[in-house]
Amino acid sequence: MTASTAHPHPHPEFGQAPADGSGSFGSSDSPDSTDSSGLSGSFDSTAQLLNRITAQLSSQLSHVTLTAVPRGPALVAVAHGSRDPAARRTVRALLDRVRALRPGLPVHLGHIELNEPLLDDTLAALRGDVVLVPLLLGHGYHVKQDIPQALARAPHLRGLTAAPLGPHPLLAETLHVRLAEAGWRKGLRRAGVVLAAAGSHDPDWPADTARTAELLSHRLGGAPVLPAYASGTGPSVEEAVGALTARGHRVAVASYFTAPGRFATQTSAGAPWIAAAPLGAHSAMARLVLHRYDQALATAGRTAPLHLASA
């Protein structure tokens, strides 16, 4: 519940003298107006003063309207899942940041595989409207098939599926932060980056990753950034590192994964210089999750409640 206050009728301030001079503090013709403590007043007792204050408060509160605030559709974050226990902790920390940015918005978690709660179980426990936000970085099989199919298996829900997190400038910003934490410095000469991603056989996936590589290169002031993949088609991290090294670059590896896991560990091991941590629970990631949620509602012709500030 929130309170929105209309402009009330004017009331005397507490202790302010009315125009006729009656009832004022420190203004009385009575010789008894000053007590032994030196305080002045026309009230016979403390109870009368409290009654006056209570009456004024009641009058002002009569102009306050309490209205129910709609919470909006629930946000269901869809993570891939990993056998690495740090992955689940990282995703939960990210969602805590999302909740902090959007108080009152119901935020739930579902995994495609390997971790509980599984997406099907999360959806089975919900009712009403939901927006599924993939914590995935491009348009691959999970986004195009697994997540819509899971929503179709929950006909008791009215649901939307948001776009994956990538590509987006907020991802490039987070990648830059993680590289800086690992030792990247502005103005480094002959330095390049391999953007290590999971990979996919879906034809849209390489285009999404290549766009993120472009955004990161721009964020790094033009340093070359080559995409590489832990699986699927496309160059491996080892191949991309070799290509940059052959061009005379010192090579850092940026971990293009939402959370720690097998692929993140595997690709970081191939870094000849520095290896950045996965994207993780950065504040820019939390803003991006909410952006995709709002974007899905807007695309469907709905608007997020006005009281919930857009990230």
Side-chain angles (χ1 to χ4, degrees):
M1 304 285 283
T2 60
S4 58
T5 308
H7 295 289
H9 297 298
H11 294 281
E13 297 293 333
F14 297 144
Q16 179 179 342
D20 60 2
S22 63
S24 64
F25 289 102
S27 176
S28 173
D29 294 331
S30 168
D32 298 326
S33 62
T34 303
D35 64 13
S36 59
S37 65
L39 296 177
S40 301
S42 62
F43 295 99
D44 294 334
S45 67
T46 301
Q48 285 182 322
L49 173 60
L50 293 176
N51 287 340
R52 170 75 176 277
I53 293 174
T54 300
Q56 290 184 346
L57 284 173
S58 298
S59 177
Q60 290 181 341
L61 287 173
S62 68
H63 298 278
V64 176
T65 302
L66 297 179
T67 58
V69 177
R71 298 187 305 172
L75 188 160
V76 179
V78 184
H80 183 276
S82 171
R83 291 184 176 86
D84 188 332
R88 192 167 181 266
R89 291 195 300 269
T90 299
V91 170
R92 289 189 175 277
L94 173 60
L95 297 189
D96 284 343
R97 282 186 173 269
V98 172
R99 294 183 183 99
L101 287 174
R102 190 74 59 92
L105 175 66
V107 178
H108 305 275
L109 172 63
H111 295 90
I112 294 172
E113 59 182 1
L114 300 175
N115 292 127
E116 294 182 350
L118 292 172
L119 179 57
D120 281 342
D121 295 335
T122 297
L123 296 180
L126 297 176
R127 296 294 182 271
D129 298 340
V130 297
V131 178
L132 276 60
V133 180
L135 302 183
L136 305 171
L137 304 174
H139 292 83
Y141 184 84
H142 295 313
V143 170
K144 293 182 178 181
Q145 300 293 328
D146 287 337
I147 296 175
Q149 288 173 4
L151 188 56
R153 290 192 295 270
H156 61 287
L157 297 174
R158 295 179 297 273
L160 301 170
T161 300
L165 299 184
H168 195 277
L170 285 172
L171 290 176
E173 178 60 32
T174 308
L175 289 165
H176 172 258
V177 169
R178 298 303 184 213
L179 283 166
E181 291 171 348
W184 183 279
R185 295 292 178 266
K186 182 179 180 181
L188 288 172
R189 300 183 62 184
R190 306 300 295 172
V193 176
V194 169
L195 182 65
S200 172
H201 293 287
D202 189 283
D204 290 333
W205 178 263
D208 288 345
T209 309
R211 177 56 182 153
T212 298
E214 293 173 0
L215 292 169
L216 179 57
S217 176
H218 178 73
R219 183 64 183 84
L220 296 175
V225 178
L226 296 184
Y229 305 96
S231 65
T233 59
S236 66
V237 171
E238 182 180 19
E239 291 169 339
V241 167
L244 283 175
T245 302
R247 288 155 54 181
H249 293 285
R250 185 164 49 161
V251 183
V253 172
S255 190
Y256 194 43
F257 302 94
T258 304
R262 177 170 63 91
F263 283 159
T265 301
Q266 173 186 318
T267 55
S268 294
W273 174 35
I274 60 174
L279 295 157
H282 192 273
S283 59
M285 293 288 289
R287 296 198 304 274
L288 181 53
V289 170
L290 288 170
H291 170 69
R292 293 305 191 203
Y293 170 87
D294 293 337
Q295 187 181 52
L297 290 176
T299 301
R302 300 185 58 176
T303 304
L306 294 178
H307 74 286
L308 299 175
S310 179

PDB file of all heavy atoms in Angstrom, residues 16-54:
ATOM      1  N   GLN A  16       0.952  27.235  16.245  1.00  0.00           N
ATOM      2  CA  GLN A  16       0.854  28.550  15.604  1.00  0.00           C
ATOM      3  C   GLN A  16      -0.358  29.277  16.158  1.00  0.00           C
ATOM      4  O   GLN A  16      -1.427  28.693  16.315  1.00  0.00           O
ATOM      5  CB  GLN A  16       0.725  28.380  14.103  1.00  0.00           C
ATOM      6  CG  GLN A  16       0.606  29.712  13.373  1.00  0.00           C
ATOM      7  CD  GLN A  16       0.501  29.502  11.878  1.00  0.00           C
ATOM      8  OE1 GLN A  16       0.833  28.438  11.378  1.00  0.00           O
ATOM      9  NE2 GLN A  16       0.030  30.504  11.188  1.00  0.00           N
ATOM     10  N   ALA A  17      -0.245  30.536  16.430  1.00  0.00           N
ATOM     11  CA  ALA A  17      -1.333  31.297  17.021  1.00  0.00           C
ATOM     12  C   ALA A  17      -2.401  31.590  15.995  1.00  0.00           C
ATOM     13  O   ALA A  17      -2.098  32.033  14.900  1.00  0.00           O
ATOM     14  CB  ALA A  17      -0.790  32.612  17.597  1.00  0.00           C
ATOM     15  N   PRO A  18      -3.697  31.322  16.305  1.00  0.00           N
ATOM     16  CA  PRO A  18      -4.777  31.742  15.412  1.00  0.00           C
ATOM     17  C   PRO A  18      -4.806  33.255  15.289  1.00  0.00           C
ATOM     18  O   PRO A  18      -4.195  33.978  16.080  1.00  0.00           O
ATOM     19  CB  PRO A  18      -6.032  31.200  16.115  1.00  0.00           C
ATOM     20  CG  PRO A  18      -5.532  30.108  17.027  1.00  0.00           C
ATOM     21  CD  PRO A  18      -4.184  30.551  17.448  1.00  0.00           C
ATOM     22  N   ALA A  19      -5.568  33.725  14.290  1.00  0.00           N
ATOM     23  CA  ALA A  19      -5.582  35.155  13.984  1.00  0.00           C
ATOM     24  C   ALA A  19      -6.097  35.983  15.147  1.00  0.00           C
ATOM     25  O   ALA A  19      -5.702  37.136  15.319  1.00  0.00           O
ATOM     26  CB  ALA A  19      -6.433  35.402  12.729  1.00  0.00           C
ATOM     27  N   ASP A  20      -7.025  35.385  15.963  1.00  0.00           N
ATOM     28  CA  ASP A  20      -7.595  36.197  17.041  1.00  0.00           C
ATOM     29  C   ASP A  20      -6.725  36.198  18.285  1.00  0.00           C
ATOM     30  O   ASP A  20      -7.041  36.824  19.281  1.00  0.00           O
ATOM     31  CB  ASP A  20      -9.000  35.704  17.395  1.00  0.00           C
ATOM     32  CG  ASP A  20      -8.987  34.253  17.871  1.00  0.00           C
ATOM     33  OD1 ASP A  20      -7.891  33.677  17.958  1.00  0.00           O
ATOM     34  OD2 ASP A  20     -10.087  33.726  18.142  1.00  0.00           O
ATOM     35  N   GLY A  21      -5.632  35.484  18.238  1.00  0.00           N
ATOM     36  CA  GLY A  21      -4.709  35.504  19.362  1.00  0.00           C
ATOM     37  C   GLY A  21      -5.058  34.531  20.450  1.00  0.00           C
ATOM     38  O   GLY A  21      -4.309  34.407  21.419  1.00  0.00           O
ATOM     39  N   SER A  22      -6.194  33.824  20.346  1.00  0.00           N
ATOM     40  CA  SER A  22      -6.586  32.893  21.397  1.00  0.00           C
ATOM     41  C   SER A  22      -5.850  31.592  21.254  1.00  0.00           C
ATOM     42  O   SER A  22      -5.557  31.157  20.170  1.00  0.00           O
ATOM     43  CB  SER A  22      -8.101  32.632  21.327  1.00  0.00           C
ATOM     44  OG  SER A  22      -8.429  32.017  20.102  1.00  0.00           O
ATOM     45  N   GLY A  23      -5.594  30.937  22.371  1.00  0.00           N
ATOM     46  CA  GLY A  23      -4.985  29.623  22.347  1.00  0.00           C
ATOM     47  C   GLY A  23      -3.539  29.629  21.956  1.00  0.00           C
ATOM     48  O   GLY A  23      -3.005  28.596  21.614  1.00  0.00           O
ATOM     49  N   SER A  24      -2.850  30.767  21.986  1.00  0.00           N
ATOM     50  CA  SER A  24      -1.466  30.803  21.532  1.00  0.00           C
ATOM     51  C   SER A  24      -0.533  30.421  22.658  1.00  0.00           C
ATOM     52  O   SER A  24      -0.865  30.539  23.831  1.00  0.00           O
ATOM     53  CB  SER A  24      -1.113  32.199  21.014  1.00  0.00           C
ATOM     54  OG  SER A  24      -1.200  33.125  22.074  1.00  0.00           O
ATOM     55  N   PHE A  25       0.661  29.935  22.257  1.00  0.00           N
ATOM     56  CA  PHE A  25       1.694  29.663  23.237  1.00  0.00           C
ATOM     57  C   PHE A  25       2.357  30.969  23.631  1.00  0.00           C
ATOM     58  O   PHE A  25       2.774  31.740  22.787  1.00  0.00           O
ATOM     59  CB  PHE A  25       2.757  28.712  22.672  1.00  0.00           C
ATOM     60  CG  PHE A  25       2.266  27.315  22.502  1.00  0.00           C
ATOM     61  CD1 PHE A  25       1.914  26.843  21.263  1.00  0.00           C
ATOM     62  CD2 PHE A  25       2.153  26.469  23.594  1.00  0.00           C
ATOM     63  CE1 PHE A  25       1.465  25.553  21.103  1.00  0.00           C
ATOM     64  CE2 PHE A  25       1.708  25.188  23.434  1.00  0.00           C
ATOM     65  CZ  PHE A  25       1.353  24.714  22.205  1.00  0.00           C
ATOM     66  N   GLY A  26       2.468  31.186  24.964  1.00  0.00           N
ATOM     67  CA  GLY A  26       3.209  32.364  25.441  1.00  0.00           C
ATOM     68  C   GLY A  26       2.490  33.661  25.210  1.00  0.00           C
ATOM     69  O   GLY A  26       3.093  34.702  25.199  1.00  0.00           O
ATOM     70  N   SER A  27       1.155  33.629  24.992  1.00  0.00           N
ATOM     71  CA  SER A  27       0.423  34.867  24.784  1.00  0.00           C
ATOM     72  C   SER A  27      -0.887  34.767  25.522  1.00  0.00           C
ATOM     73  O   SER A  27      -1.836  34.176  25.037  1.00  0.00           O
ATOM     74  CB  SER A  27       0.196  35.108  23.292  1.00  0.00           C
ATOM     75  OG  SER A  27      -0.599  36.251  23.100  1.00  0.00           O
ATOM     76  N   SER A  28      -0.969  35.316  26.724  1.00  0.00           N
ATOM     77  CA  SER A  28      -2.192  35.245  27.506  1.00  0.00           C
ATOM     78  C   SER A  28      -2.188  36.365  28.523  1.00  0.00           C
ATOM     79  O   SER A  28      -1.150  36.762  29.035  1.00  0.00           O
ATOM     80  CB  SER A  28      -2.286  33.883  28.213  1.00  0.00           C
ATOM     81  OG  SER A  28      -3.385  33.854  29.103  1.00  0.00           O
ATOM     82  N   ASP A  29      -3.390  36.861  28.823  1.00  0.00           N
ATOM     83  CA  ASP A  29      -3.501  37.887  29.850  1.00  0.00           C
ATOM     84  C   ASP A  29      -3.576  37.274  31.233  1.00  0.00           C
ATOM     85  O   ASP A  29      -3.564  37.982  32.221  1.00  0.00           O
ATOM     86  CB  ASP A  29      -4.760  38.741  29.615  1.00  0.00           C
ATOM     87  CG  ASP A  29      -4.641  39.528  28.332  1.00  0.00           C
ATOM     88  OD1 ASP A  29      -3.495  39.852  27.955  1.00  0.00           O
ATOM     89  OD2 ASP A  29      -5.685  39.810  27.710  1.00  0.00           O
ATOM     90  N   SER A  30      -3.688  35.945  31.295  1.00  0.00           N
ATOM     91  CA  SER A  30      -3.843  35.307  32.594  1.00  0.00           C
ATOM     92  C   SER A  30      -2.531  35.305  33.340  1.00  0.00           C
ATOM     93  O   SER A  30      -1.491  34.982  32.780  1.00  0.00           O
ATOM     94  CB  SER A  30      -4.331  33.852  32.409  1.00  0.00           C
ATOM     95  OG  SER A  30      -4.224  33.153  33.633  1.00  0.00           O
ATOM     96  N   PRO A  31      -2.542  35.636  34.607  1.00  0.00           N
ATOM     97  CA  PRO A  31      -1.301  35.619  35.371  1.00  0.00           C
ATOM     98  C   PRO A  31      -0.787  34.211  35.570  1.00  0.00           C
ATOM     99  O   PRO A  31       0.348  34.026  35.967  1.00  0.00           O
ATOM    100  CB  PRO A  31      -1.687  36.273  36.717  1.00  0.00           C
ATOM    101  CG  PRO A  31      -3.169  36.056  36.825  1.00  0.00           C
ATOM    102  CD  PRO A  31      -3.679  36.118  35.433  1.00  0.00           C
ATOM    103  N   ASP A  32      -1.669  33.200  35.295  1.00  0.00           N
ATOM    104  CA  ASP A  32      -1.244  31.815  35.493  1.00  0.00           C
ATOM    105  C   ASP A  32      -0.703  31.190  34.220  1.00  0.00           C
ATOM    106  O   ASP A  32      -0.527  29.977  34.148  1.00  0.00           O
ATOM    107  CB  ASP A  32      -2.423  30.969  36.012  1.00  0.00           C
ATOM    108  CG  ASP A  32      -2.922  31.452  37.365  1.00  0.00           C
ATOM    109  OD1 ASP A  32      -2.086  31.920  38.164  1.00  0.00           O
ATOM    110  OD2 ASP A  32      -4.140  31.362  37.592  1.00  0.00           O
ATOM    111  N   SER A  33      -0.472  32.012  33.190  1.00  0.00           N
ATOM    112  CA  SER A  33      -0.075  31.448  31.913  1.00  0.00           C
ATOM    113  C   SER A  33       1.342  30.906  31.922  1.00  0.00           C
ATOM    114  O   SER A  33       1.738  30.217  31.022  1.00  0.00           O
ATOM    115  CB  SER A  33      -0.191  32.501  30.803  1.00  0.00           C
ATOM    116  OG  SER A  33       0.688  33.571  31.073  1.00  0.00           O
ATOM    117  N   THR A  34       2.150  31.228  32.912  1.00  0.00           N
ATOM    118  CA  THR A  34       3.511  30.720  32.999  1.00  0.00           C
ATOM    119  C   THR A  34       3.633  29.807  34.203  1.00  0.00           C
ATOM    120  O   THR A  34       3.316  30.227  35.323  1.00  0.00           O
ATOM    121  CB  THR A  34       4.521  31.861  33.139  1.00  0.00           C
ATOM    122  OG1 THR A  34       4.377  32.738  32.046  1.00  0.00           O
ATOM    123  CG2 THR A  34       5.954  31.334  33.204  1.00  0.00           C
ATOM    124  N   ASP A  35       4.042  28.525  33.960  1.00  0.00           N
ATOM    125  CA  ASP A  35       4.132  27.598  35.078  1.00  0.00           C
ATOM    126  C   ASP A  35       5.500  27.691  35.724  1.00  0.00           C
ATOM    127  O   ASP A  35       6.342  28.499  35.346  1.00  0.00           O
ATOM    128  CB  ASP A  35       3.824  26.162  34.618  1.00  0.00           C
ATOM    129  CG  ASP A  35       4.832  25.640  33.620  1.00  0.00           C
ATOM    130  OD1 ASP A  35       5.908  26.265  33.458  1.00  0.00           O
ATOM    131  OD2 ASP A  35       4.553  24.590  33.011  1.00  0.00           O
ATOM    132  N   SER A  36       5.753  26.821  36.687  1.00  0.00           N
ATOM    133  CA  SER A  36       6.988  26.898  37.456  1.00  0.00           C
ATOM    134  C   SER A  36       8.215  26.589  36.624  1.00  0.00           C
ATOM    135  O   SER A  36       9.338  26.923  37.011  1.00  0.00           O
ATOM    136  CB  SER A  36       6.926  25.927  38.647  1.00  0.00           C
ATOM    137  OG  SER A  36       6.736  24.596  38.175  1.00  0.00           O
ATOM    138  N   SER A  37       8.033  25.942  35.477  1.00  0.00           N
ATOM    139  CA  SER A  37       9.186  25.643  34.630  1.00  0.00           C
ATOM    140  C   SER A  37       9.534  26.782  33.700  1.00  0.00           C
ATOM    141  O   SER A  37      10.504  26.721  32.965  1.00  0.00           O
ATOM    142  CB  SER A  37       8.913  24.374  33.805  1.00  0.00           C
ATOM    143  OG  SER A  37       7.850  24.612  32.902  1.00  0.00           O
ATOM    144  N   GLY A  38       8.675  27.798  33.643  1.00  0.00           N
ATOM    145  CA  GLY A  38       8.947  28.935  32.777  1.00  0.00           C
ATOM    146  C   GLY A  38       8.301  28.815  31.423  1.00  0.00           C
ATOM    147  O   GLY A  38       8.465  29.678  30.581  1.00  0.00           O
ATOM    148  N   LEU A  39       7.541  27.724  31.120  1.00  0.00           N
ATOM    149  CA  LEU A  39       6.882  27.565  29.839  1.00  0.00           C
ATOM    150  C   LEU A  39       5.553  28.276  29.849  1.00  0.00           C
ATOM    151  O   LEU A  39       4.823  28.260  30.851  1.00  0.00           O
ATOM    152  CB  LEU A  39       6.674  26.073  29.538  1.00  0.00           C
ATOM    153  CG  LEU A  39       7.955  25.247  29.384  1.00  0.00           C
ATOM    154  CD1 LEU A  39       7.600  23.787  29.175  1.00  0.00           C
ATOM    155  CD2 LEU A  39       8.776  25.778  28.222  1.00  0.00           C
ATOM    156  N   SER A  40       5.227  28.900  28.711  1.00  0.00           N
ATOM    157  CA  SER A  40       3.978  29.632  28.605  1.00  0.00           C
ATOM    158  C   SER A  40       2.961  28.830  27.843  1.00  0.00           C
ATOM    159  O   SER A  40       3.303  28.043  26.981  1.00  0.00           O
ATOM    160  CB  SER A  40       4.218  30.972  27.891  1.00  0.00           C
ATOM    161  OG  SER A  40       5.150  31.740  28.600  1.00  0.00           O
ATOM    162  N   GLY A  41       1.658  29.055  28.083  1.00  0.00           N
ATOM    163  CA  GLY A  41       0.624  28.391  27.317  1.00  0.00           C
ATOM    164  C   GLY A  41      -0.726  28.636  27.924  1.00  0.00           C
ATOM    165  O   GLY A  41      -0.860  28.952  29.105  1.00  0.00           O
ATOM    166  N   SER A  42      -1.790  28.489  27.087  1.00  0.00           N
ATOM    167  CA  SER A  42      -3.145  28.713  27.545  1.00  0.00           C
ATOM    168  C   SER A  42      -3.877  27.410  27.798  1.00  0.00           C
ATOM    169  O   SER A  42      -5.045  27.416  28.113  1.00  0.00           O
ATOM    170  CB  SER A  42      -3.917  29.547  26.512  1.00  0.00           C
ATOM    171  OG  SER A  42      -3.986  28.836  25.293  1.00  0.00           O
ATOM    172  N   PHE A  43      -3.203  26.256  27.597  1.00  0.00           N
ATOM    173  CA  PHE A  43      -3.850  24.968  27.817  1.00  0.00           C
ATOM    174  C   PHE A  43      -3.828  24.636  29.306  1.00  0.00           C
ATOM    175  O   PHE A  43      -2.813  24.823  29.984  1.00  0.00           O
ATOM    176  CB  PHE A  43      -3.128  23.871  27.021  1.00  0.00           C
ATOM    177  CG  PHE A  43      -3.238  24.059  25.537  1.00  0.00           C
ATOM    178  CD1 PHE A  43      -2.181  24.634  24.833  1.00  0.00           C
ATOM    179  CD2 PHE A  43      -4.365  23.694  24.848  1.00  0.00           C
ATOM    180  CE1 PHE A  43      -2.272  24.830  23.480  1.00  0.00           C
ATOM    181  CE2 PHE A  43      -4.471  23.883  23.501  1.00  0.00           C
ATOM    182  CZ  PHE A  43      -3.420  24.463  22.804  1.00  0.00           C
ATOM    183  N   ASP A  44      -4.934  24.132  29.787  1.00  0.00           N
ATOM    184  CA  ASP A  44      -5.037  23.809  31.199  1.00  0.00           C
ATOM    185  C   ASP A  44      -4.234  22.583  31.572  1.00  0.00           C
ATOM    186  O   ASP A  44      -3.875  22.387  32.716  1.00  0.00           O
ATOM    187  CB  ASP A  44      -6.506  23.596  31.591  1.00  0.00           C
ATOM    188  CG  ASP A  44      -7.302  24.873  31.468  1.00  0.00           C
ATOM    189  OD1 ASP A  44      -6.693  25.957  31.573  1.00  0.00           O
ATOM    190  OD2 ASP A  44      -8.524  24.769  31.263  1.00  0.00           O
ATOM    191  N   SER A  45      -3.995  21.709  30.602  1.00  0.00           N
ATOM    192  CA  SER A  45      -3.285  20.473  30.922  1.00  0.00           C
ATOM    193  C   SER A  45      -2.597  19.950  29.679  1.00  0.00           C
ATOM    194  O   SER A  45      -2.874  20.375  28.554  1.00  0.00           O
ATOM    195  CB  SER A  45      -4.263  19.412  31.443  1.00  0.00           C
ATOM    196  OG  SER A  45      -5.155  19.023  30.400  1.00  0.00           O
ATOM    197  N   THR A  46      -1.681  19.008  29.886  1.00  0.00           N
ATOM    198  CA  THR A  46      -1.008  18.350  28.768  1.00  0.00           C
ATOM    199  C   THR A  46      -2.012  17.617  27.901  1.00  0.00           C
ATOM    200  O   THR A  46      -1.878  17.542  26.677  1.00  0.00           O
ATOM    201  CB  THR A  46       0.050  17.371  29.300  1.00  0.00           C
ATOM    202  OG1 THR A  46       0.984  18.092  30.092  1.00  0.00           O
ATOM    203  CG2 THR A  46       0.787  16.673  28.164  1.00  0.00           C
ATOM    204  N   ALA A  47      -3.041  17.056  28.508  1.00  0.00           N
ATOM    205  CA  ALA A  47      -4.062  16.318  27.756  1.00  0.00           C
ATOM    206  C   ALA A  47      -4.734  17.200  26.720  1.00  0.00           C
ATOM    207  O   ALA A  47      -5.032  16.762  25.595  1.00  0.00           O
ATOM    208  CB  ALA A  47      -5.105  15.745  28.712  1.00  0.00           C
ATOM    209  N   GLN A  48      -4.989  18.466  27.059  1.00  0.00           N
ATOM    210  CA  GLN A  48      -5.608  19.373  26.093  1.00  0.00           C
ATOM    211  C   GLN A  48      -4.690  19.618  24.896  1.00  0.00           C
ATOM    212  O   GLN A  48      -5.136  19.685  23.754  1.00  0.00           O
ATOM    213  CB  GLN A  48      -5.947  20.703  26.771  1.00  0.00           C
ATOM    214  CG  GLN A  48      -7.158  20.645  27.695  1.00  0.00           C
ATOM    215  CD  GLN A  48      -7.468  22.001  28.292  1.00  0.00           C
ATOM    216  OE1 GLN A  48      -6.547  22.750  28.631  1.00  0.00           O
ATOM    217  NE2 GLN A  48      -8.748  22.323  28.418  1.00  0.00           N
ATOM    218  N   LEU A  49      -3.394  19.758  25.158  1.00  0.00           N
ATOM    219  CA  LEU A  49      -2.438  19.952  24.073  1.00  0.00           C
ATOM    220  C   LEU A  49      -2.414  18.741  23.142  1.00  0.00           C
ATOM    221  O   LEU A  49      -2.438  18.865  21.912  1.00  0.00           O
ATOM    222  CB  LEU A  49      -1.037  20.191  24.649  1.00  0.00           C
ATOM    223  CG  LEU A  49       0.127  20.260  23.636  1.00  0.00           C
ATOM    224  CD1 LEU A  49      -0.094  21.392  22.651  1.00  0.00           C
ATOM    225  CD2 LEU A  49       1.446  20.439  24.382  1.00  0.00           C
ATOM    226  N   LEU A  50      -2.394  17.541  23.733  1.00  0.00           N
ATOM    227  CA  LEU A  50      -2.397  16.328  22.921  1.00  0.00           C
ATOM    228  C   LEU A  50      -3.684  16.198  22.127  1.00  0.00           C
ATOM    229  O   LEU A  50      -3.679  15.751  20.977  1.00  0.00           O
ATOM    230  CB  LEU A  50      -2.193  15.105  23.812  1.00  0.00           C
ATOM    231  CG  LEU A  50      -0.821  14.993  24.482  1.00  0.00           C
ATOM    232  CD1 LEU A  50      -0.780  13.796  25.425  1.00  0.00           C
ATOM    233  CD2 LEU A  50       0.276  14.864  23.426  1.00  0.00           C
ATOM    234  N   ASN A  51      -4.799  16.578  22.714  1.00  0.00           N
ATOM    235  CA  ASN A  51      -6.078  16.519  21.992  1.00  0.00           C
ATOM    236  C   ASN A  51      -6.071  17.455  20.793  1.00  0.00           C
ATOM    237  O   ASN A  51      -6.599  17.134  19.721  1.00  0.00           O
ATOM    238  CB  ASN A  51      -7.230  16.881  22.930  1.00  0.00           C
ATOM    239  CG  ASN A  51      -7.533  15.790  23.937  1.00  0.00           C
ATOM    240  OD1 ASN A  51      -7.160  14.632  23.728  1.00  0.00           O
ATOM    241  ND2 ASN A  51      -8.196  16.150  25.045  1.00  0.00           N
ATOM    242  N   ARG A  52      -5.455  18.637  20.958  1.00  0.00           N
ATOM    243  CA  ARG A  52      -5.380  19.599  19.861  1.00  0.00           C
ATOM    244  C   ARG A  52      -4.544  19.030  18.702  1.00  0.00           C
ATOM    245  O   ARG A  52      -4.931  19.116  17.537  1.00  0.00           O
ATOM    246  CB  ARG A  52      -4.754  20.893  20.389  1.00  0.00           C
ATOM    247  CG  ARG A  52      -4.390  21.913  19.323  1.00  0.00           C
ATOM    248  CD  ARG A  52      -5.610  22.627  18.758  1.00  0.00           C
ATOM    249  NE  ARG A  52      -5.198  23.641  17.811  1.00  0.00           N
ATOM    250  CZ  ARG A  52      -4.800  24.869  18.138  1.00  0.00           C
ATOM    251  NH1 ARG A  52      -4.764  25.237  19.416  1.00  0.00           N
ATOM    252  NH2 ARG A  52      -4.456  25.739  17.217  1.00  0.00           N
ATOM    253  N   ILE A  53      -3.374  18.440  19.058  1.00  0.00           N
ATOM    254  CA  ILE A  53      -2.507  17.864  18.031  1.00  0.00           C
ATOM    255  C   ILE A  53      -3.201  16.714  17.319  1.00  0.00           C
ATOM    256  O   ILE A  53      -3.163  16.599  16.090  1.00  0.00           O
ATOM    257  CB  ILE A  53      -1.180  17.400  18.659  1.00  0.00           C
ATOM    258  CG1 ILE A  53      -0.386  18.608  19.157  1.00  0.00           C
ATOM    259  CG2 ILE A  53      -0.360  16.586  17.666  1.00  0.00           C
ATOM    260  CD1 ILE A  53       0.864  18.253  19.926  1.00  0.00           C
ATOM    261  N   THR A  54      -3.884  15.867  18.080  1.00  0.00           N
ATOM    262  CA  THR A  54      -4.577  14.722  17.500  1.00  0.00           C
ATOM    263  C   THR A  54      -5.666  15.173  16.539  1.00  0.00           C
ATOM    264  O   THR A  54      -5.861  14.611  15.462  1.00  0.00           O
ATOM    265  CB  THR A  54      -5.181  13.848  18.615  1.00  0.00           C
ATOM    266  OG1 THR A  54      -4.137  13.387  19.461  1.00  0.00           O
ATOM    267  CG2 THR A  54      -5.938  12.654  18.027  1.00  0.00           C
TER     268      THR A  54
END
